[in-house]
Amino acid sequence: MPLFIPLKASVANRIKKAVVLNLVIATGLLNSACSTNTPVKQNTAFLDERAALIKKYSATDNVFSTLQNQVDPNDPQSSEYWRWRIDQYLYGAYPDYQAIYDKYTKGKSFHQIYNLPHENLGPKKALPASLPKLPEGYFTDNLQGNPHTGWHDVIGDKVFITYQGHLTDPYIASYDLKNHQWEGPYKAAESTLSKGDRKIDSHGRPILEQDSKGHFHIIYGGHGGEREDSLNPLSIDTPHAGGRMLHVMSEKPNDMSKFVYVNDITPFASYTASEKMANGDIYLFTRTGTHKSPWVYYKMPSGAQTFDKPVIITAPTPQEHNPINVDTFYITPKKVSDTEIAISSLWHECNFLEEHNKTNYGRINSYYMKLDTTTDTFYNAQNEKLALPITLAKANEKTLAFDSTQREETPFSTVPVVLENNAPAVAYQARTKSYREWRVTSFESGQWKHSQPMPGAANRTLTDNKNITITNILKLEFLGKEQGQYTAAVTYKDTKGQSIFATAKSDDKQNWRVDKIFLSSTKTRLQMEVVNNEQGNTVAVLLNVKKGSAQRLYLWSEGKFRPA
């Protein structure tokens, strides 16, 4: 059985395609084998076995002929490139090729197998001699790329923060909320993502969890893996961005000063998200390669210090009538109770040509499902049990929460939302040519209701200390209630274009007024994330402040920034 869902060719085209395919395969392999630039002599037995498998599976899967038809006969590199791409498709979709390929390529480097030029993943943008000045109060060095606000966890009275630091290496620091002392930041490990001439790539942002024995785990650095890691058994897509996904664990419990490598996850993975459940189980969600790859979860049971084998959640599917295109997903998990993780997703239409749709970036629809971690079973909003893996056809039938195919707005990203009535809900960033805003679709009375405002955002107002209405609210997060008044952290732009981080007060959580401004800067981008403890109380705020090439992280707690 194939690992992924192959494309079935129509009966009417099978004979014609098989004949054409045999010709182009023979020609392509002969050209490749006889090229004077090929550094290693091709193995005839291997080529025969490879060709036999391609012929066998091409009877019902015309992705092979589609990929082979991309070869430019006047370009020797084109033949090599598509030979590599076909190898990866065959390797990922049909596991019986894996032992054959591994035996042939054992001990060989990538460039001994494929006569292709070295990757060009640069250039790295040089920093200016002088950086714009940022307000005081930060706790990191200057950061490149887009590290967002890092990843955080509150353990006892300490906030632990991991983030993508110098040359995208993972760093870790902690702040004690009681004695107001920092430890770190420490460089936890090395990343392969942006070294040498490679440009800064922010896909390898680290995540942090602490296991039941007190050891810290950081997973980081991945954007599809390295060519030298051979082919990817969990994908039909080749690496084209670089960067191994790596897992490190603190050598001692509750000690951030030294980490050791743990070899239990695929190096080809991209993106990281994790949740720790009430019983101590840790779930890591990731994509097992570049775009045309499954999303999976790894589980580290309570008491363990390594992840179990991955469970495939979604499967990429080449389109039946246009097999150069592949239907896959972007997913976002969020813990919504002690035992459940809600998962939102969007349909991502990508292709083997690596061409990107700049109108909507191939991001369509919004979907919802949930994982019951007591049984590791998936359900939809109707509480119907879902069989894995989820393909686009199954998602459209069982988990569709918002159909954007006939609408102007497209969901660029999604995230599960917890509503007061606990109804299943997904927030999606709606984008059109004229606006960009977050909206909600929720499951009520047996139906999905879309295009709703975010919770608390409808008719919400914010005025500054001069009673001027602020129209460009970037983010407003509730902090708590004291003496009958609500307090929130807010980022916004004022009428002069200043980016501002402040606190605001309200009597009704609807009409807010700015109370105190803590940061104001021109031509500056702000990203804000509240830090909640295990009880759900906000104990701090993380802020990313970027002005030109200057970018740092700030921690705000008890009314002031806390510099390291």
Side-chain angles (χ1 to χ4, degrees), residues 119-124 197-199:
E119 287 181 294
N120 179 13
L121 298 178
K124 184 178 269 90
D197 294 329
R198 289 180 172 182
K199 63 185 178 182

Side-chain angles (χ1 to χ4, degrees), residues 211-214 217 276 279-282 300-306:
D211 67 33
S212 56
K213 297 181 180 180
H217 296 259
K276 184 176 181 179
N279 67 352
D281 292 346
I282 296 172
M300 182 185 295
S302 179
Q305 295 190 301
T306 57

